[in-house]
Amino acid sequence: MDSLRTYLLSLPRRQKRILQVATDVVLVWAALWLAFVVRLGMDEMSNPVKLHLWLFICAPVVAVPLFIRFGMYRAVMRYFGNDALIAIVKAVSLSSLVLGFVVYWYSNHQSVVPRSIIFNYWWLSLIMVGGLRLAMRQYFLGDWFAAAQHVPFTSREDGLPRVAIYGAGAAGNQLVAALRMGRVMRPVAFIDDDTSISDRVISGLQVYKPKHIQRMIDATGAQEILLAIPSSNRARRREILGFLECFPLHVRSVPGFMDLASGRVKVDDIQEVDIADLLGRDAVPAQDELLEHCIKEQCVLVTGAGGSIGSELCRQILSLRPTTLLLFEHSEFNLYSILSELEQRITRESLSVRLLPILGSVRNEGKLLDVMKTWRVDTVYHAAAYKHVPMVEHNIAEGVMNNVIGTLNTAQAALQAGVSNFVLISTDKAVRPTNVMGSTKRLAELTLQALSRELAPVLFGDTTKILRVNKTRFTMVRFGNVLGSSGSVIPLFHKQIKSGGPLTVTHPKITRYFMTIPEAAQLVIQAGSMGQGGDVFVLDMGEPVRIVELAEKMIHLSGLSLRTEKNPHGDIAIEFTGLRPGEKLYEELLIGNNVVATQHPMIMSANEDHIAWDVLKIKLTELLSAVDQDDYARVRQLLRDTVSGYTPDGEIVDWIYQQRRLEP
């Protein structure tokens, strides 16, 4: 059977169609002959072929051209669906009607044909032509019993993992069809909240209520649950995931409708549960006027364009139709990756956006100024920064030069080039920081706050003392962790689960704010369109999440159990490794309580302390001098004096500093 199936599938398309046509001719003759049998019976019937040869000639002559016209020979048997069945009904019905007219006309001149023959021919043709195609679909799929798990004596063991589908709607049924064709998993049941279809059979699968999941597991042996509820909001998905946690099932999901519609994924692209669903918060719809204000028909520059936030900013900016998008990035690989992705999208969507990749560092102010003047940049989104707390703690000089001086260089270049809008991507770690990364990001904020209050400042490092007219509106947007960014805990947990654990958490009480990258980027763009200059905008991150609880949920939703002292035979343990250098238990978004609402419900404006530009320039000069001398104790002290609330935790762990202390 397998060799015959392989042979038939390997035939050229022309031969397949000839075979189909020949089969349909035989089926039409068989249906017509049976129509006489049904009408006259075997005892009284003479040979209808001899009596009505003309009718047996006319039937395929009428039917086959109509079958061709309705596309019955264009349908691929393996993907035979409802549209093909409807085409068969139309083609058979029309061919029966035409044959009826032929019989009526010919019977008036020659032999009489019972009129009920046409009706019998119609329903027999439907059964035979349509039924054979349905049977062949199952045959080519290689599974005669795929749609009959509920029928006694039809189950068989094939070694495929058994999965239940949560959601018996359109997405769930498409997923079942895709799984049956792919033969990687065996769907065994539906779970659905709709009580009107509970205990029914859809696509050959029993539909269970959520409260009967354990009964479903016992009856079917399901090992996984696939969520096929792309239209549900995050609050509902979080509720479902919380309910499923208590069952020994690996929970995964199919993509959402937007991903399916965009062509990025297919319905059978199974993925791990989106951690955003565990947060249970839906994104607030964007305000178009805020999104377009600083981008539409303008030249936009994104620094750090290849990073997690920078690349998402580029994706969303592209949708807002700028005239030119400049990708400024120091990593050649990251720049190539985001450039390739955006070029493909521009070609696919026929966008009229000029895309320019620029390889460079924000520590090169001359390069930045040259770029901004050459392309007459209107808006800058400054996302370039070192954000990994322990890494910056061990490399203090690089953290200062990239986060502080890099921001200073970019801001001063924007001021000299007459850029209209400048938006700094900041972090919640800038609030009462305990680490170098957070303190440098807060110092970057202070730099922009100071510059925004100067109508004609003398720039830092400018020995000519020339006053520069300030036409740039500087704003800062501060938010917490984004899901899936470089250094995020979520990919680490996925990797550790796949390797069998343990999951490493620094402290049992550590909490973090989380937001998806697309949502954060969208809010950054909208926040950057607000304010008068020097504004610090804070995104509403929702409630903080305990990392250990997140780890437990990910273990349970992977179909595994948590190994503890009470459950020593569990699958995966959680180990606490201790806080890393500079790491805080809790993150904050505001330094003080002076916060006001804005026109966007997810964006707040913080009124925070600032330092005068002339005073800040002196601090920056001292800081640069300390960095040049590798005097990291002095660097720490200067950061403490400048950044309000900076209280470093522990000793200095910079690699150079530690090595020099060990030298005799």
Side-chain angles (χ1 to χ4, degrees):
M1 294 292 286
D2 290 339
S3 59
L4 178 60
R5 182 188 307 116
T6 304
Y7 170 74
L8 291 173
L9 290 174
S10 64
L11 288 175
R13 184 181 301 175
R14 181 180 179 85
Q15 292 185 25
K16 289 178 181 176
R17 288 186 174 178
I18 292 173
L19 185 60
Q20 284 181 289
V21 171
T23 303
D24 281 342
V25 171
V26 173
L27 291 176
V28 166
W29 282 340
L32 189 56
W33 187 81
L34 287 174
F36 280 97
V37 172
V38 172
R39 171 66 178 82
L40 303 174
M42 292 295 294
D43 296 334
E44 299 181 10
M45 184 186 72
S46 302
N47 188 348
V49 179
K50 288 183 178 181
L51 292 175
H52 307 287
L53 180 60
W54 63 272
L55 187 57
F56 280 85
I57 294 174
C58 287
V61 170
V62 170
V64 171
L66 289 172
F67 290 178
I68 295 172
R69 180 65 183 85
F70 279 87
M72 286 173 54
Y73 303 118
R74 292 196 298 268
V76 180
M77 286 296 178
R78 284 169 290 171
Y79 309 111
F80 193 78
N82 293 335
D83 291 341
L85 284 175
I86 293 172
I88 289 173
V89 172
K90 291 179 179 178
V92 170
S93 299
L94 187 56
S95 67
S96 300
L97 184 61
V98 173
L99 190 62
F101 282 120
V102 172
V103 168
Y104 176 77
W105 177 84
Y106 198 79
S107 295
N108 291 333
H109 301 82
Q110 302 291 335
S111 60
V112 177
V113 177
R115 293 174 182 174
S116 60
I117 292 295
I118 298 302
F119 175 74
N120 291 339
Y121 167 75
W122 171 73
W123 65 262
L124 284 166
S125 295
L126 283 179
I127 293 174
M128 297 176 75
V129 174
L132 180 64
R133 280 165 167 77
L134 290 174
M136 293 307 292
R137 179 183 68 175
Q138 294 304 115
Y139 172 69
F140 286 127
L141 288 176
D143 191 353
W144 291 97
F145 304 111
Q149 276 98 344
H150 65 292
V151 178
F153 312 114
T154 60
S155 61
R156 60 189 179 92
E157 186 56 50
D158 51 13
L160 298 178
R162 295 170 170 264
V163 298
I165 314 298
Y166 200 115
N173 279 273
Q174 289 180 54
L175 179 58
V176 168
L179 293 177
R180 285 172 175 165
M181 282 186 283
R183 294 184 57 76
V184 177
M185 301 177 182
R186 172 173 288 279
V188 294
F190 276 120
I191 304 165
D192 202 282
D193 302 314
D194 188 353
T195 56
S196 65
I197 61 173
S198 60
D199 298 324
R200 303 278 293 275
V201 174
I202 297 178
S203 295
L205 302 180
Q206 182 80 29
V207 182
Y208 291 86
K209 295 179 182 178
K211 65 180 180 181
H212 295 151
I213 288 181
Q214 188 58 55
R215 191 176 77 186
M216 180 274 296
I217 296 173
D218 296 337
T220 64
Q223 301 159 290
E224 295 191 26
I225 286 186
L226 305 180
L227 300 182
I229 45 175
S231 59
S232 297
N233 58 34
R234 283 186 188 157
R236 177 58 186 149
R237 293 172 75 91
R238 181 184 185 184
E239 182 182 343
I240 292 171
L241 291 172
F243 176 74
L244 295 176
E245 262 192 87
C246 59
F247 298 100
L249 295 166
H250 185 183
V251 181
R252 294 195 283 175
S253 65
V254 295
F257 281 139
M258 293 307 295
D259 290 329
L260 294 171
S262 66
R264 290 195 293 267
V265 292
K266 304 186 293 295
V267 72
D268 55 336
D269 283 338
I270 308 300
Q271 58 194 19
E272 295 298 328
V273 169
D274 189 349
I275 302 302
D277 293 335
L278 297 178
L279 306 182
R281 187 184 65 174
D282 288 306
V284 174
Q287 298 181 17
D288 291 340
E289 65 277 9
L290 292 179
L291 282 176
E292 297 176 349
H293 180 71
C294 297
I295 295 174
K296 189 174 183 180
E297 297 181 357
Q298 299 185 43
C299 179
V300 181
L301 168 68
V302 178
T303 68
S308 51
I309 288 293
S311 59
E312 182 60 30
L313 281 170
C314 292
R315 294 182 192 101
Q316 297 198 21
I317 289 169
L318 202 64
S319 303
L320 299 171
R321 302 296 196 278
T323 57
T324 306
L325 176 57
L326 305 175
L327 313 176
F328 196 91
E329 172 62 56
H330 81 286
S331 168
E332 182 184 30
F333 176 77
N334 287 352
L335 183 60
Y336 174 77
S337 298
I338 187 61
L339 174 66
S340 300
E341 178 188 332
L342 297 182
E343 283 180 335
Q344 291 175 15
R345 183 174 165 196
I346 287 175
T347 302
R348 185 173 63 248
E349 300 179 13
S350 301
L351 301 177
S352 58
V353 179
R354 184 168 57 164
L355 192 65
L356 299 172
I358 299 172
L359 201 58
S361 170
V362 292
R363 290 161 67 167
N364 186 344
E365 184 175 359
K367 177 69 175 286
L368 286 163
L369 179 58
D370 192 28
V371 168
M372 293 184 196
K373 281 186 173 180
T374 301
W375 280 282
R376 298 180 181 178
V377 173
D378 298 295
T379 301
V380 173
Y381 291 96
H382 181 51
Y386 289 143
K387 302 181 287 291
H388 195 277
V389 170
M391 194 71 73
V392 175
E393 208 69 18
H394 288 298
N395 298 273
I396 293 175
E398 291 302 308
V400 171
M401 296 303 296
N402 202 65
N403 294 356
V404 179
I405 304 305
T407 300
L408 174 67
N409 291 342
T410 311
Q412 291 194 150
L415 189 148
Q416 293 178 78
V419 171
S420 300
N421 308 290
F422 186 103
V423 183
L424 169 68
I425 313 302
S426 192
T427 171
D428 58 354
K429 293 175 178 61
V431 177
R432 281 181 277 274
T434 59
N435 51 68
V436 175
M437 193 281 280
S439 63
T440 55
K441 291 298 286 182
R442 176 56 185 150
L443 189 51
E445 290 181 356
L446 289 168
T447 300
L448 296 192
Q449 287 178 301
L451 274 175
S452 67
R453 284 171 167 77
E454 297 292 324
L455 296 177
V458 175
L459 300 183
F460 178 79
D462 187 356
T463 56
T464 62
K465 308 295 182 181
I466 297 176
L467 298 176
R468 309 280 182 176
V469 177
N470 186 357
K471 298 180 180 179
T472 306
R473 182 174 60 90
F474 294 100
T475 56
M476 294 134 276
V477 185
R478 186 188 294 161
F479 55 90
N481 297 272
V482 288
L483 297 169
S485 66
S486 57
S488 171
V489 71
I490 307 303
L492 175 62
F493 283 169
H494 278 307
K495 184 177 179 180
Q496 290 175 337
I497 289 173
K498 287 182 179 179
S499 62
L503 269 62
T504 54
V505 179
T506 55
H507 194 281
K509 293 185 179 180
I510 192 168
T511 64
R512 288 292 181 267
Y513 291 98
F514 285 103
M515 179 177 282
T516 65
I517 295 177
E519 183 181 7
Q522 188 182 79
L523 289 172
V524 163
I525 293 172
Q526 293 177 88
S529 301
M530 298 188 291
Q532 302 302 313
D535 306 85
V536 177
F537 293 107
V538 180
L539 304 188
D540 180 0
M541 301 291 294
E543 296 298 321
V545 177
R546 286 186 64 200
I547 302 300
V548 67
E549 291 181 357
L550 192 61
E552 291 173 358
K553 287 179 181 292
M554 291 182 66
I555 290 173
H556 292 148
L557 293 173
S558 297
L560 304 171
S561 59
L562 179 63
R563 189 190 311 147
T564 62
E565 292 182 0
K566 295 181 179 179
N567 182 26
H569 301 294
D571 299 305
I572 293 183
I574 294 177
E575 290 185 0
F576 297 104
T577 58
L579 292 175
R580 297 171 296 179
E583 194 169 37
K584 295 170 68 175
L585 275 180
Y586 312 102
E587 298 291 2
E588 304 168 271
L589 289 165
L590 296 171
I591 295 176
N593 296 319
N594 299 324
V595 61
V596 295
T598 67
Q599 63 194 89
H600 196 289
M602 296 284 287
I603 303 173
M604 300 171 288
S605 179
N607 184 15
E608 299 186 346
D609 296 335
H610 64 280
I611 300 175
W613 176 236
D614 290 337
V615 175
L616 185 62
K617 284 194 293 183
I618 296 173
K619 297 285 187 182
L620 292 174
T621 301
E622 295 176 354
L623 184 64
L624 272 179
S625 175
V627 169
D628 288 341
Q629 298 170 23
D630 292 330
D631 187 353
Y632 297 113
R634 177 66 176 154
V635 170
R636 172 178 277 194
Q637 187 58 48
L638 286 168
L639 289 174
R640 292 185 69 172
D641 294 342
T642 309
V643 177
S644 176
Y646 175 41
T647 53
D649 184 20
E651 299 295 324
I652 297 173
V653 294
D654 182 271
W655 296 126
I656 295 176
Y657 179 84
Q658 288 184 323
Q659 183 62 29
R660 287 184 175 175
R661 291 186 63 184
L662 296 174
E663 294 176 355

